[in-house]
Amino acid sequence: MSGAGLAVTAGPVVAAGAGRWACARVDLGGMSEPAALVRPLALEEVFTRQERMRSAARSTLASWGGRLAAKHAVTTALGHDTPPAPLTGVEILPSVPPGCPRGHACPHGHPPRVTLGAGYAERAAGAGVTGIQVSVSHTSRVAVAVALVTWTTDGG
């Protein structure tokens, strides 16, 4: 996805335990529509239905860019130079606390939650992954994400 201005940087193994971090950046400058972020792929090949609904509801390109950066940060932190499966296998949605009355329709910024599917979950389980955390931030011109993957000491 070179058209997205994507730059992925992997980090070192975390010294305080078994883990790895990675960050990704998506430049949004000069783009006016979400499809431009993922060309030549279609949005449906990169974002799950729920992600498309959530990003469309926010109606900002930065929301799409942040989600894309998070997907790439997660795949890199899992140890992949390029995603081994479609990016729809990494879903980034808000983790809505049980007490939130609006659920996924809540307009407030709940922390992101990573859900693995489509081949990613099996690979992660096989590697002993015990958790994935992600942080996303953006401006109108750039979106960045950092992912931290932890695993059992005998896994990764």
Side-chain angles (χ1 to χ4, degrees):
M1 280 181 268
S2 59
L6 184 69
V8 179
T9 306
V13 173
V14 177
R20 176 194 301 248
W21 68 269
C23 59
R25 169 185 157 157
V26 175
D27 292 319
L28 306 170
M31 293 184 207
S32 60
E33 61 176 343
L37 291 171
V38 298
R39 276 191 191 111
L41 300 176
L43 289 174
E44 295 79 16
E45 295 176 88
V46 178
F47 299 103
T48 66
R49 181 177 180 273
Q50 288 290 85
E51 289 173 319
R52 293 190 312 272
M53 289 174 38
R54 178 72 183 187
S55 290
R58 309 242 346 156
S59 69
T60 67
L61 192 59
S63 177
W64 293 88
R67 193 159 274 123
L68 180 60
K71 288 171 171 272
H72 279 281
V74 167
T75 59
T76 303
L78 286 169
H80 306 291
D81 292 334
T82 58
L87 281 175
T88 53
V90 177
E91 185 175 64
I92 310 292
L93 290 171
S95 59
V96 181
C100 182
R102 304 239 359 235
H104 282 290
C106 182
H108 302 294
H110 296 297
R113 179 190 81 241
V114 178
T115 303
L116 299 179
Y120 287 95
E122 295 82 10
R123 290 173 191 243
V129 170
T130 58
I132 302 173
Q133 295 176 309
V134 67
S135 179
V136 180
S137 186
H138 55 75
T139 68
S140 61
R141 299 184 57 76
V142 67
V144 295
V146 176
L148 174 64
V149 174
T150 54
W151 53 73
T152 58
T153 53
D154 60 342

